Amino acid sequence: MRLNVSHAAISQHVRTLEEELGVQLIDRSGRAGVLTTNGTHLSEALELGFGTITRTIRAMSDIDSDRPLVVTTTPAFAAQWLLPRLAQFRAEYPGSDMVIDPTPEVRTLEPGGADIALRHGGGVWPGMLAEPVLRSALCVVGAPALVATDGKTTLEQLAGMTWFQEIGTSEATGFLSRHGLTRHGGSGMTFLPENMVLDAVRDGQGVAVVARAFVEGDIESGRLRVLFEDDEDEGYYLVVPRGPLRAVARQFRDWVRNQSSAASLAFRQRDAG
């Protein structure tokens, strides 16, 4: 064990702590003890506290200066927003090594792991600092050939269509659940990698839920049609742990902020025109 302390000693310390706090931290009713709700809360607080201490020491000592910047985000955001702009980051900060981790899984931001996340949601992640990068409603899109009219499709009609969803995500199933829809009429759900979902939808094979910002070009050109649009206040956020960041992480954070501000200004000017 990293602390060179036996399991018996740890168990005794936990029991002593339970007596001092007057709450049970571990449920010992089964063969293996599991954290109670209070134990989970304390564990999360300790992890946050020790994580902040570790990051502060690493930042002060520059111990991770040679380690590549690790950015975790969704495949859709990486492909549609980040990668088209990445050359600008390399031009501003030449020589910076970085790893882009495109995954639908929510990675833990921890010392020695991922430095920064770009996540979709409502902006609240416990223990993290989040600021908006891209506001975009989720919408259901399909090819014009799939729908006979120019008007929006009813929810009941959508429930009978073939659906495509990115592997590891829940946009489509979440949309159906949110609106109380049950798929019917022989409709199916096909799970594909992110880049293949839009290919299938553009080909007229079915519908998918996407962030509207990522398909504006398809909508304007007529390749895709918005069949339904949610008005939930969500979007993509820059997420960092509390406490100091490594120099390269600070550079990337500031660069994303500038990119977000420039994109928002361009959108407002286009909208006004």
Side-chain angles (χ1 to χ4, degrees):
M1 297 180 64
R2 286 189 289 179
L3 297 177
N4 292 319
V5 180
S6 68
H7 286 286
I10 292 175
S11 179
Q12 184 56 47
H13 281 301
V14 172
R15 290 182 184 276
T16 300
L17 181 59
E18 287 177 323
E19 291 177 2
E20 292 182 0
L21 295 176
V23 297
Q24 185 177 3
L25 301 175
I26 296 180
D27 180 358
R28 302 176 179 83
S29 59
R31 295 183 60 183
V34 295
L35 290 174
T36 63
T37 300
N38 286 323
T40 299
H41 290 162
L42 180 58
S43 173
E44 291 173 349
L46 291 172
E47 183 177 357
L48 176 61
F50 284 117
T52 300
I53 293 171
T54 301
R55 281 189 294 273
T56 301
I57 293 174
R58 285 175 175 266
M60 292 173 62
S61 63
D62 210 21
I63 194 172
D64 284 338
S65 59
D66 295 331
R67 187 172 65 85
L69 170 72
V70 180
V71 179
T72 178
T73 187
T74 64
F77 191 86
Q80 303 295 334
W81 194 95
L82 184 57
L83 290 183
R85 294 171 167 82
L86 207 52
Q88 298 176 41
F89 177 77
R90 291 197 298 268
E92 291 182 34
Y93 302 100
S96 297
D97 294 333
M98 62 188 309
V99 175
I100 305 298
D101 177 27
T103 173
E105 297 180 16
V106 177
R107 302 288 199 206
T108 301
L109 303 185
E110 58 187 0
D115 296 285
I116 287 177
L118 291 158
R119 295 176 178 166
H120 184 271
V124 178
W125 287 273
M128 300 287 134
L129 299 175
E131 51 189 279
V133 174
L134 174 67
R135 295 282 191 182
S136 179
L138 291 178
C139 61
V140 181
V141 294
L146 192 67
V147 186
T149 67
D150 289 336
K152 291 184 179 179
T153 308
T154 66
L155 290 172
E156 190 63 22
Q157 288 173 315
L158 288 175
M161 292 184 176
T162 298
W163 287 79
F164 290 93
Q165 180 167 283
E166 179 187 345
I167 295 172
T169 68
S170 60
E171 279 89 351
T173 50
F175 173 87
L176 292 166
S177 176
R178 250 188 340 270
H179 293 281
L181 299 177
T182 301
R183 288 184 285 118
H184 59 79
S187 64
M189 182 77 70
T190 301
F191 298 87
L192 294 171
E194 180 272 335
N195 62 311
M196 298 178 68
V197 169
L198 283 179
D199 287 342
V201 174
R202 292 184 186 113
D203 195 41
Q205 296 185 39
V207 299
V209 176
V210 298
R212 177 161 183 153
F214 297 157
V215 290
E216 285 290 0
D218 288 290
I219 295 169
E220 291 176 1
S221 68
R223 286 190 298 270
L224 292 177
R225 181 175 295 156
V226 176
L227 308 181
F228 192 90
E229 187 165 335
D230 268 337
D231 57 359
E232 290 192 358
D233 187 22
E234 293 191 342
Y236 286 87
Y237 286 79
L238 173 73
V239 183
V240 298
R242 296 182 183 275
L245 298 174
R246 297 193 294 140
V248 66
R250 292 196 302 271
Q251 292 169 348
F252 185 80
R253 177 200 61 193
D254 295 342
W255 175 79
V256 169
R257 286 173 174 169
N258 292 335
Q259 291 295 311
S260 175
S261 297
S264 296
L265 177 60
F267 179 80
R268 288 196 301 270
Q269 288 174 339
R270 186 187 69 179
D271 206 34

